[in-house]
Amino acid sequence: MAGPSRRRRRLHLSKIYSYTCGKSSFQEDHSNIGGPGFSRVVYCNEPGSPAAERRNYAGNYVRSTKYTLASFFPKSLFEQFRRVANFYFLVTGILSLTDLSPYGAVSALLPLALVISATMVKEGIEDWRRKQQDIEVNNRKVKVHDGNGIFRQEEWRNLRVGDIVRVEKDEFFPADLLLLSSSYEDSICYVETMNLDGETNLKVKQGLEATSLLLNQDSDFKDFSAVVRCEDPNVNLYVFVGTLALEEERFPLSIQQILLRDSKLRNTEYVYGAVVFTGHDTKVIQNSTDPPSKRSRIERKMDKIIYLMFGLVFLMSFVGSIIFGVETRDDKLKNGRTERWYLKPDEADIFFDPERAPVAAIFHFFTATMLYSYFIPISLYVSIEIVKVLQSIFINRDIHMYYEETDKPAQARTSNLNEELGMVDTILSDKTGTLTCNSMEFIKCSIAGTAYGRGITEVERAMAVRSGGSPLVNEDLDVVVDRSAPKVKGFNFEDERIMNGNWVRQPEAAVLQKFFRLLAVCHTAIPETDEESGNVSYEAESPDEAAFVIAAREFGFEFFNRTQNGISFREMDLVSGEKVERVYKLLNILEFNSTRKRMSVIVRDDDGKLLLLSKGADNVMFERLAKNGRQFEAKTQEHVNQYADAGLRTLILAYREVDENEYIEFNKNFNEAKASVSEDREALIDEITDRMERDLILLGATAVEDKLQNGVPECIDKLAQAGIKIWVLTGDKMETAINIGFASSLLRQEMKQIIINLETPHIKSLEKSGGKDEIELASRESVVMQLQEGKALLAASGASSEAFALIIDGKSLTYALEDEIKKTFLDLATGCASVICCRSSPKQKALVTRLVKSGTGKTTLAIGDGANDVGMLQEADIGVGISGVEGMQAVMSSDIAIAQFRYLERLLLVHGHWCYSRIASMVK
């Protein structure tokens, strides 16, 4: 199938994305290519060549099942004989084949065979369901080059290392690919990695210039040939080392050119890629672990009961055999017959021989053990398995846990853990996609010291309900607010003072105009115009970014076109009152990252003025304001605090005019820093941008609400009332996590927050000037001190009813999970009503889950929706996967799957209670 003949969009985003798109150089690990750990050779576009086939790389078929056809019987039998009773009956069954048996072998072995067969059939059916999901993933289609300049549809499982594939917009990457070119002229593409690391912000990837110039459409691949030499398969998601040999030239490769399996292509029409790693060699599968074998607490307790009963049987048999040996020894022959003639000792070789009484006693012990084996009820296991299967059917068929919007019912993927649902003590939850919909809405703003927006957040509603007021009345504005679904996705703002062009009549109209212009210009979104309706939609790196551009459009400042050098938008002219088009020349974009906590653009407006437009977190923006730019600072700070209390995500907007000479000097230094390949490249860029983003003039602040899934606050309230502790483990920054904590009722206004982080001035100064060992030592001491201070606060509160919430960041968590510190951390965390771990890596999520499970000895449940949650789900006693719209990695690794977080309430408090109660009663 031939590719599009039209020319690709001429938008050189590499000049815009100054941080993410740096060039690789032949340094460090590139010198190891060809050596141990760096021996992979990929023949691009020649997967069937003899040289490629000799490598014998893994295929692209992946599986998440516990068993294979070959391993099912040995592994499943091992699982069955982990049960003490099954092993005991196996031993007695083997003994029943001997002459010692007081009954026939069939009566001993048949029940055991039925029990084990029934359980193995159940295990096989459950694993077959996992197999079906694997089949669905492996049979997904992707376009693969057939060698003649034509791309044909092919199943994922048939991909080979070296294949050239074409991936379309909103499709998942079928393997780890080397990006060759894209629909953009300079091989830029957007990638969503939520299934890998939980981050919702899009990443920008860029192919090599050498391949992007050669490969523009399908037919260009007919004669393409190249060789990649790179690292062997490994678990590191953020590092790739390799070289590309093309037309007798060698080019360095980095992670910037690699598209990882299970990532999704966004905001890009198509990309071409060469398959580098397939199947179980891909980085996401390398990071996964085999499905663990989980057993319920009742099953483990039954094993202990069986041990007790076996002890009683052993004691009875032992005492009986001793008495039997003594009596046999004392048995006398009278007239050629023993006193116990009815035992027919004359016909027995040994069992009743008075001359061999000790041996007779030993044999009697085995006989008695078999005879008393019926004290241990083997039928109980069969009954329990039948009940568990029926309980799983009840869970699967519960209409109250069916999500109609996505046609997803609840699914008990394993029936072994049903009763554990009624014993859960701690829930460890992901945030994005689990508690939230990851759908941002522009709801409030503060401009020129005036607060706008009549919307009421979920946090404010919950507070109003608790205080006995109406949740729908904004007391400051004395109006009833419509809380129905927003008319425009991403925009839930109501205020007649500035809507519908009324902002022009406000006293600070000029400031409002600058504010709206900043929203329309300071971003990296790409507009897409529907040719039929003329409506403009936006593809943005994050939901926040999209919400800002949509808000600007709704306020009358419609961004509609981006070119290589300009941003075009329509606005209302203050003089004529009519819509006019404005084009701002785009000179530089200074990207947002977690260190800078801000994003800026440098533009030239249509009057020729140079402007720096900036938006960022309040703690970094307020300190960058000029003396004459703080006119609205106090009022804006007050509003930002109110927004934060309302669970909103806030950003400060500011600007300044830039002198021509200053810009020339900045641009020169900035381009030199971008072109640098030294280790301190990022530090150089940060230093240069930091000097430019100074002396700003404050305009106002935005407030965006990350919409929770329906029913989350109510569900968390009910679970807390049931005595279940809830921990949130998220990759998001602390401010965001705290906001969501308030919105979801995890945090309450009256709670005292114990915050543990490494943002102290001493640590920051060490990070700039100190050595690695010195930083680690100081960081560890700081974390220990903060943990001890937190424990002291808990102890001081004593018997008082005040609740505490522990909030800890990822850096601090690294030290808190060390062997000598983790006990202190766990003691503090278990003493708090709520715990939030921010900036947590997938590995940290799993380690925290393991710590809670082993440290408390109580039942833990983990819930998540992405591949970054898999370790946590597998580590917990029960793993619950959210079957959302993005991938199925969490579901495929879970024990139970549900479609919405709110169904957890019914799953635990209804089905969990029933299952536990019924199984416990049955065992009794």
Side-chain angles (χ1 to χ4, degrees), residues 152-188:
R152 304 187 188 279
Q153 293 279 1
E154 190 65 75
E155 286 88 3
W156 280 21
R157 58 190 167 91
N158 295 329
L159 281 184
R160 297 171 294 174
V161 173
D163 271 329
I164 305 296
V165 299
R166 175 185 165 115
V167 180
E168 308 284 347
K169 181 180 177 182
D170 292 330
E171 290 182 350
F172 290 98
F173 300 121
D176 288 352
L177 309 177
L178 169 64
L179 174 59
L180 298 173
S181 64
S182 75
S183 56
Y184 292 111
E185 195 170 67
D186 54 356
S187 296
I188 285 287

Side-chain angles (χ1 to χ4, degrees), residues 326-433:
V326 171
E327 290 295 320
T328 300
R329 185 193 62 192
D330 295 341
D331 206 2
K332 304 295 183 182
L333 287 172
K334 291 183 180 179
N335 301 322
R337 297 182 67 187
T338 63
E339 289 181 359
R340 293 177 182 80
W341 54 268
Y342 49 86
L343 294 178
K344 297 182 180 180
D346 299 332
E347 298 178 15
D349 294 332
I350 191 167
F351 297 140
F352 312 107
D353 190 347
E355 303 298 324
R356 305 175 70 181
V359 180
I362 293 172
F363 285 160
H364 180 274
F365 172 80
F366 289 116
T367 303
T369 300
M370 286 185 280
L371 191 62
Y372 299 150
S373 65
Y374 291 105
F375 280 107
I376 301 174
I378 190 171
S379 61
L380 177 62
Y381 281 99
V382 182
S383 304
I384 286 176
E385 293 298 340
I386 293 171
V387 169
K388 285 186 174 183
V389 169
L390 292 174
Q391 288 173 342
S392 297
I393 294 172
F394 289 155
I395 292 172
N396 296 345
R397 302 259 176 121
D398 189 343
I399 194 68
H400 297 293
M401 293 196 295
Y402 170 70
Y403 191 47
E404 190 173 358
E405 191 172 313
T406 57
D407 189 29
K408 295 277 178 66
Q411 182 186 8
R413 290 167 47 81
T414 175
S415 59
N416 291 346
L417 305 171
N418 295 343
E419 66 273 17
E420 288 285 276
L421 294 169
M423 304 169 70
V424 171
D425 176 78
T426 306
I427 295 173
L428 300 105
S429 173
D430 178 40
K431 183 190 75 68
T432 305

Side-chain angles (χ1 to χ4, degrees), residues 17-28:
Y17 290 93
S18 55
Y19 297 109
T20 54
C21 298
K23 294 184 178 181
S24 301
S25 62
F26 288 108
Q27 291 181 353
E28 298 175 352

Side-chain angles (χ1 to χ4, degrees), residues 663-723:
Y663 176 72
I664 292 170
E665 180 69 18
F666 161 79
N667 198 44
K668 175 188 171 186
N669 295 334
F670 187 57
N671 288 331
E672 286 177 358
K674 283 198 297 180
S676 169
V677 292
S678 62
E679 290 184 3
D680 58 350
R681 174 179 178 272
E682 301 298 326
L684 279 173
I685 294 175
D686 282 345
E687 184 183 343
I688 293 164
T689 55
D690 184 68
R691 287 201 300 267
M692 174 58 71
E693 295 166 319
R694 295 282 176 180
D695 300 324
L696 303 175
I697 298 172
L698 178 65
L699 294 173
T702 60
V704 174
E705 185 177 20
D706 188 356
K707 293 297 290 181
L708 291 169
Q709 290 182 12
N710 290 336
V712 166
E714 294 81 2
C715 175
I716 288 177
D717 273 340
K718 285 281 176 63
L719 294 172
Q721 288 172 27

Side-chain angles (χ1 to χ4, degrees), residues 826-860:
L826 184 64
D827 290 343
L828 173 59
T830 51
C832 294
S834 300
V835 180
I836 299 177
C837 301
C838 320
R839 290 293 183 197
S840 307
S841 68
K843 185 177 181 181
Q844 284 179 328
K845 289 183 177 184
L847 289 174
V848 169
T849 306
R850 182 186 301 173
L851 175 64
V852 176
K853 181 174 74 171
S854 60
T856 62
K858 297 178 180 176
T859 304
T860 58

Side-chain angles (χ1 to χ4, degrees), residues 556-593:
F557 293 71
E558 183 183 31
F559 161 59
F560 67 91
N561 188 36
R562 180 190 288 278
T563 65
Q564 178 56 46
N565 300 313
I567 287 182
S568 304
F569 63 96
R570 304 182 185 96
E571 71 170 19
M572 183 183 293
D573 186 76
L574 284 174
V575 178
S576 64
E578 297 180 355
K579 284 264 184 178
V580 295
E581 288 189 7
R582 303 207 184 278
V583 180
Y584 279 17
K585 186 176 181 182
L586 183 60
L587 302 175
N588 303 92
I589 289 186
L590 316 181
E591 274 192 282
F592 178 92
N593 63 37

